[in-house]
Structure formats: structure tokens, C-alpha cells
């Protein structure tokens, strides 16, 4: 694949990741759809698009994946939607991204990886930024919603780590999305009396599932083999900032001083970890 195509696919994938936050937040504040319905429609739409993609690409299109990964994906999706009822787009994206990266870094430490002093400082800064964002104050997001988004980030981190086992990433993702559909339907049945379907909200969910999730993941996994691991980790630093700018432009959300400082601590700390790791590998 040419460098231009890799750049375009990567850029579109990052925009899609930020778009997930914008679409979910817009649906929950501008329409009457509830988080459970949004999640169910999103997962079903993503499963359908990914199934169509693998159907076009291969003759044997049963998909791959497994139930444990599907469960992690489902936990991420429902926690993501419920938390965005009370979180701003920027705060939610920052907490999600920070939790994903922090959980994956923590897993590496648990597996025996060793950090340099700079990497350790970066990890401490990132964790301090997450804690600082949730400390009580006038501009602090609700703690319960914030913790729920952190749970979504940890679940996505688990899903990402499990996805490193190999296989066709698009088929694996399709198989996992397809497995989330019965989980979403069971949850919808449990909360049947509280479901609120809204045509505009459903369209937001369809766009989130089909476009920014299904196609977004497909683009990302297509470009990923052509990116260095450190590059892939570093470029994702832009996602919360893109989501924040989109929220200011399209949802008229403020960007508080607390959020700015937390962004510097979280994104700067993670950048210090990933870039220091890259430099260490380049010198060996």
C-alpha cells in the first residue's frame, strides 16, 4: 500500500474514532433515544457492515472472534453510551482514551516490561491527569459517569489486547461484533419498559455503528500493518482533541481549564511513555 493511502486511511480512521464520541453524545442530548437502544442499534449496524465487508472479501465469510472478546466489546459499548448521558464529549473521549492506554501500559508492566525513569514519570502524569479530571469541583464531570467511562476504556483495552492473538483483524472484529448482537438484544429485553426509540437517535446510532465503528475499524485495521506500533499509539493522541474540537464546533460544548490541564497531563504522559519506548528500540 502506498504511503498516501496509509495516511488517508489512518486519518479517516482517527476521525471515525472521534466521531463515535460526537455521534453518541449528540444522540443522547439532542434526541430522546436511551443509551440501551443506542448501543443495540450501534452494535447491530456495525455487525451488519462488517459482515458485508468480509462477505465481499472472501468466499468463506463466517467470521472469527470469540465470546470473551465479544463480551469485552459489549461492556465497552454499553458503558460508553450510558456514561455519555452525563459527560461532555471532550471529557468522555479523554477519559476513554486515557483509560485504554493506561490499562494496556499497566498490562505490559504486569507482564514484566520495565520502564525507564521518563516512562515511569509519563505513566504517573497520565494517571494523575485521570484522577485530577474527576476530583470534586465546579467543572468536574460526574464521578459515577466518569468511572463508567473509565470502565469502558479498560474494556476496550482488554479487547485490544485480546485482538493481538492474530488472524484476519477485520474478520475477527466482524465475528466479535456479530456475537454482541444477542447480548444487546438480551439487555434490551431486560430494560424493555424503559426503551425510548427516536428516529433521529436511531440514525445517529446507525451512523455510529456502520460508519464510525464498522468502516472506521476496517480502515484502521487496513492501515495498521503499515504503521509502526509506536506510531499507531502516538497518532491516537489526536482522537480526544479532535473530539473536543468537534464538540465545541457542533455541540456548543465548553472546553474548561480543568479539561485543558488534564489533557496536557494525560496525553503528554502517554506520549512520553510511547515515544521513549520507540527511542529505546531505535537505539538497540
Amino acid at each position: 500500500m502506498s504511503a498516501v493511502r496509509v495516511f488517508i486511511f489512518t486519518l479517516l480512521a482517527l476521525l471515525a474514532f472521534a466521531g463515535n464520541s460526537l455521534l453518541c453524545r449528540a444522540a443522547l442530548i439532542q434526541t430522546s433515544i436511551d443509551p440501551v437502544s443506542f448501543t443495540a442499534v450501534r452494535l447491530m449496524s456495525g455487525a451488519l457492515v462488517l459482515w458485508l465487508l468480509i462477505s465481499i472479501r472472501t468466499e468463506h465469510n463466517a467470521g472469527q472472534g470469540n465470546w470473551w472478546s465479544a463480551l469485552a466489546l459489549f461492556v465497552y459499548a454499553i458503558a460508553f453510551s450510558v456514561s455519555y448521558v452525563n459527560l461532555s464529549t471532550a471529557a468522555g473521549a479523554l477519559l476513554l482514551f486515557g483509560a485504554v492506554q493506561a490499562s494496556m501500559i499497566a498490562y505490559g508492566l504486569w507482564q514484566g516490561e520495565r520502564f525507564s525513569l521518563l516512562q515511569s514519570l509519563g505513566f504517573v502524569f497520565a494517571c494523575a491527569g485521570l484522577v485530577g479530571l474527576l476530583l470534586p469541583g465546579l467543572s468536574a464531570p460526574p464521578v459515577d459517569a466518569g468511572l463508567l467511562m473509565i470502565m469502558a476504556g479498560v474494556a476496550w483495552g482488554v479487547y485490544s489486547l485480546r485482538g493481538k492473538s492474530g488472524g484476519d483483524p477485520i474478520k475477527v472484529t466482524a465475528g466479535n461484533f456479530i456475537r454482541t448482537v444477542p447480548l444487546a438484544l438480551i439487555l434490551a429485553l431486560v430494560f424493555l419498559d424503559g426503551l425510548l426509540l427516536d428516529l433521529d437517535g436511531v440514525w445517529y446510532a446507525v451512523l455510529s455503528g456502520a460508519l464510525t465503528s464498522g468502516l472506521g475499524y476496517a480502515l484502521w485495521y487496513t492501515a495498521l500493518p503499515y504503521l509502526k506500533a509506536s506510531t499507531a499509539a502516538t497518532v491516537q493522541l489526536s482522537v480526544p482533541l479532535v473530539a473536543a474540537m468537534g464538540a465545541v464546533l457542533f455541540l456548543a460544548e465548553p472546553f474548561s481549564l480543568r479539561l485543558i490541564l488534564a489533557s496536557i497531563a494525560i496525553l503528554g504522559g502517554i506520549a512520553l511513555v510511547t515515544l521513549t519506548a520507540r527511542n529505546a528500540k531505535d537505539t538497540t
Side-chain angles (χ1 to χ4, degrees):
M1 184 183 296
S2 68
V4 173
R5 289 185 67 189
V6 172
F7 172 79
I8 292 174
F9 283 10
T10 302
L11 177 61
L12 291 176
L14 296 175
L15 291 174
F17 295 160
N20 270 326
S21 292
L22 289 169
L23 287 169
C24 184
R25 180 61 176 161
L28 295 173
I29 64 173
Q30 296 180 355
T31 78
S32 60
I33 195 171
D34 65 281
V36 173
S37 297
F38 181 90
T39 301
V41 175
R42 177 190 177 190
L43 291 174
M44 287 188 287
S45 301
L48 177 60
V49 166
L50 287 166
W51 178 81
L52 290 173
L53 282 176
I54 61 174
S55 298
I56 295 170
R57 292 175 63 222
T58 61
E59 294 181 1
H60 302 287
N61 46 45
Q64 298 174 359
N66 59 78
W67 283 102
W68 285 113
S69 293
L71 180 61
L73 177 61
F74 175 73
V75 171
Y76 147 75
I78 186 62
F80 177 87
S81 298
V82 174
S83 62
Y84 258 134
V85 173
N86 294 309
L87 285 178
S88 69
T89 304
L94 184 60
L95 286 169
L96 176 72
F97 175 83
V100 170
Q101 296 297 320
S103 61
M104 296 180 72
I105 291 170
Y107 177 78
L109 291 174
W110 183 65
Q111 288 292 100
E113 293 182 14
R114 292 293 176 262
F115 277 0
S116 66
L117 178 60
L118 283 178
Q119 286 178 295
S120 299
L121 288 174
F123 186 62
V124 169
F125 283 147
C127 292
L130 285 173
V131 173
L133 185 60
L134 294 176
L135 286 177
L138 292 177
S139 59
V143 175
D144 54 350
L147 292 176
L148 199 58
M149 185 61 85
I150 289 175
M151 180 192 298
V154 172
W156 186 257
V158 170
Y159 179 79
S160 299
L161 289 168
R162 289 184 59 84
K164 290 185 176 183
S165 57
D168 185 330
I170 297 180
K171 291 187 70 174
V172 169
T173 305
N176 289 329
F177 260 84
I178 291 169
R179 286 175 172 83
T180 65
V181 172
L183 299 176
L185 292 177
I186 291 172
L187 185 67
L189 287 174
V190 172
F191 292 94
L192 186 60
D193 292 339
L195 298 185
L196 294 171
L197 289 175
D198 174 281
L199 183 58
D200 290 337
V202 168
W203 275 115
Y204 279 127
V206 169
L207 287 174
S208 177
L211 186 62
T212 58
S213 293
L215 292 179
Y217 298 160
L219 288 170
W220 176 249
Y221 286 132
T222 300
L224 198 56
Y226 302 93
L227 298 173
K228 292 182 178 179
S230 55
T231 301
T234 305
V235 295
Q236 291 181 75
L237 294 172
S238 63
V239 174
L241 300 180
V242 173
M245 290 187 292
V248 171
L249 292 173
F250 302 114
L251 302 178
E253 291 185 0
F255 200 59
S256 66
L257 178 61
R258 178 195 288 260
L259 195 58
I260 294 173
L261 294 177
S263 299
I264 294 172
I266 296 171
L267 303 183
I270 293 171
L272 195 59
V273 172
T274 56
L275 293 177
T276 304
R278 180 182 66 182
N279 291 335
K281 289 181 179 180
D282 290 343
T283 57
T284 58

